[in-house]
Amino acid sequence: MDKRIVLSDLNACYASIEIARRPELRGKPVAVCGNVEERHGIVLAKSDLAKRYGIKTGMVRWQAMRLCPGLVTVPPNIDLYRQVTNRVREIYSEYSNLRDDFSIDESWIDLTGTCRTGKEIKLAHEIKERLKTETGLTASMGLSWNRVFAKLGSDIAGPDSVAEITRSNMKKVVWPLPVQVLMGVGRATTHGLSEMGIGTIGELAAANPDILKRRFGKNGTVLYAFANGIDTTPIKEEGTGLPVKSLGNSTTAARDMVCDEDVRIILMTLAESVAMRLREEKFKAYVIQISLRTTDLRWLIHERKIKRPTDITHDILDISFSLYKDIRLLPLRGVGIRVSTLVPADEPEQMNLFEDEKRHDNKRTIDRAVDKIREDFGYHSIQRGLTKLDEQLGTLNAREEHLNFARF
Amino acid sequence: MHPKRVYVELLARYSKDGTMVPAMLKWEDGTMYEIDRVLDVRRAASEAGSMGIRYTVRILGKERRIFFEDTYSETGKPRWFVESEVNCS
């Protein structure tokens, strides 16, 4: 029997929460923006009305204001968003214990067997209405037999509605769509596919999987399966899966970074925050990724998989810095570190024959001591010497300023 | 015009099974009002912003909506507010 999976995507989540909380913002274009004085003034989220003016996430505040002079900007309140989305998840869990959170505002809910077959669409509508009355938020929902098309359904559904993708309407609804709307297809893949003459999901579904594999590696096989609605990944029972898939933090520096040392200082503060949160959540990471924000506001991303998972501040800094050196593009406006492929910290690990275990343990002891001091006396009670080399760059309390925890 | 949230002091009664029932509230001007009857209880978002457990109650023959704001509160602790049409800014 086919599964019945819903993807629920909260519309303009952060901005909608702000509007639901402050009724005076209703009917106005709203954007949640970081702190302007510290140059974090980018748009983190925008309301539907703001979107109509062409405002996009990641845009600098002044650009957004130029597009829409009446734009109301509000500072982010991560605590509020987290609590409201937790409440949303409580509602989901009243319908199914099988749920996978794709991000803070997107969750897959497996409704298979929770009601009479064929009635799941009614249930999806009921969940959507409950979200609206109980939290004031609207959602786009997609219902399908697999996660990929459930997600696609939510993307095409439009705000406050449900779209169902079935085996019988798939060819009509999904296949004419451009490939870039399919989960897992980014800019580079779209470009690669277009070189092969593949522009729509239907063309991708009809392509030769062997050729796709040769061109895109393992990802080629996944793309072929996704285009055909084949995704057998089960949705885990609540609480049994890892709740977080990646952790990251990024910041715009107080001034542009113009030399390696500037970058190293900022990477240090970010590595501290990311590593500290890894330790708090009791994870270690296999993949370290950095993102560089250029002064013309482009993002460059570079990552590396390491042999032994880590939660050590210094290791994350060293890898991030060496990733930066691979690109070494200056000046930079902002940088970010993200760690993924997480494993529980207490998972047994293979010792490295050539690595100095004692040194490894020492680094861990230092981290633990720093964590304890900060827990007892506050974040700024102890700081790395490196961050003192430039007061302006080094004063960031990266721990409290993580704004992108949301995107798992 | 939007209704306003007026945070109030409130006395609640707990039944033996642990159900919380609002009993009396102190309005902005200091007047104490007895809650005559609870007509409906459900989770809801408020027209005045925020969300929580909504109690539709009768006070002096008039229907009013009061909220136990337990999902998010700026003070970090759950609070009670009344959805108020009067004194709108």
Side-chain angles (χ1 to χ4, degrees), chain A residues 161-308:
Chain A
S161 47
V162 185
E164 185 176 7
I165 295 174
T166 61
R167 286 191 190 273
S168 51
N169 74 7
M170 149 176 120
K171 287 184 186 159
K172 208 171 131 212
V173 178
V174 178
W175 284 9
L177 297 172
V179 279
Q180 57 265 40
V181 301
L182 191 69
M183 203 170 97
V185 179
R187 212 182 307 166
T189 313
T190 306
H191 185 70
L193 287 169
S194 126
E195 281 177 352
M196 295 169 72
I198 297 172
T200 66
I201 298 178
E203 286 162 358
L204 178 60
N208 182 335
D210 294 328
I211 297 176
L212 288 171
K213 195 178 174 188
R214 268 206 298 279
R215 175 72 172 76
F216 299 102
K218 204 169 64 182
N219 199 27
T221 314
V222 174
L223 291 174
Y224 176 78
F226 280 8
N228 282 287
I230 304 163
D231 171 43
T232 49
T233 322
I235 293 180
K236 291 187 184 117
E237 205 166 315
E238 247 179 279
T240 56
L242 295 178
V244 185
K245 287 179 183 149
S246 76
L247 283 171
N249 195 351
S250 63
T251 189
T252 302
R255 62 167 172 78
D256 285 343
M257 292 164 266
V258 291
C259 62
D260 289 356
E261 181 123 313
D262 289 351
V263 179
R264 200 172 153 82
I265 291 172
I266 297 284
L267 283 175
M268 177 82 240
T269 61
L270 294 173
E272 283 215 277
S273 109
V274 170
M276 196 165 157
R277 279 162 57 212
L278 268 176
R279 295 191 292 269
E280 265 174 24
E281 305 273 349
K282 300 194 169 36
F283 289 129
K284 285 181 184 174
Y286 270 110
V287 176
I288 319 281
Q289 180 194 75
I290 60 157
S291 47
L292 306 178
R293 180 87 153 157
T294 58
T295 43
D296 56 352
L297 306 179
R298 279 179 307 133
W299 280 108
L300 297 166
I301 288 169
H302 190 28
E303 67 175 33
R304 184 179 302 159
K305 187 166 182 184
I306 50 175
K307 287 204 175 78
R308 183 179 177 179

Side-chain angles (χ1 to χ4, degrees), chain A residues 51-77:
Chain A
K51 206 188 284 179
R52 276 187 232 161
Y53 285 89
I55 291 166
K56 294 193 171 76
T57 304
M59 200 174 253
V60 185
R61 189 175 171 274
W62 64 260
Q63 285 177 318
M65 293 300 286
R66 206 160 57 179
L67 286 172
C68 172
L71 184 72
V72 182
T73 60
V74 293
N77 183 345

Side-chain angles (χ1 to χ4, degrees), chain A residues 23-47:
Chain A
E24 67 273 16
L25 297 178
R26 276 177 216 162
K28 292 179 185 161
V30 175
V32 179
C33 289
N35 189 325
V36 184
E37 271 111 67
E38 290 166 26
R39 301 209 318 163
H40 300 262
I42 58 161
V43 175
L44 301 167
K46 73 274 172 200
S47 68

Side-chain angles (χ1 to χ4, degrees), chain A residues 3 92 95-100 108-112 235-238:
Chain A
K3 286 198 176 300
Y92 296 153
Y95 292 86
S96 173
N97 61 338
L98 302 178
R99 197 190 74 233
D100 198 351
W108 281 291
I109 311 151
D110 188 344
L111 294 178
T112 317
I235 293 180
K236 291 187 184 117
E237 205 166 315
E238 247 179 279

Side-chain angles (χ1 to χ4, degrees), chain A residues 363-378:
Chain A
K363 284 195 263 185
R364 183 164 293 156
T365 311
I366 291 171
D367 277 349
R368 247 187 250 131
V370 171
D371 288 350
K372 182 83 183 94
I373 291 169
R374 285 188 167 154
E375 196 185 310
D376 291 347
F377 302 104

Side-chain angles (χ1 to χ4, degrees), chain A residues 20-21 26 77 83 87 133, chain B residues 5 43 45 49-50 71-72 74:
Chain A
R21 175 98 190 138
R26 276 177 216 162
N77 183 345
Q83 291 190 40
R87 177 70 208 122
T133 50
Chain B
R5 295 194 298 273
R43 282 213 164 263
S50 196
T71 301
Y72 177 82
E74 263 130 36

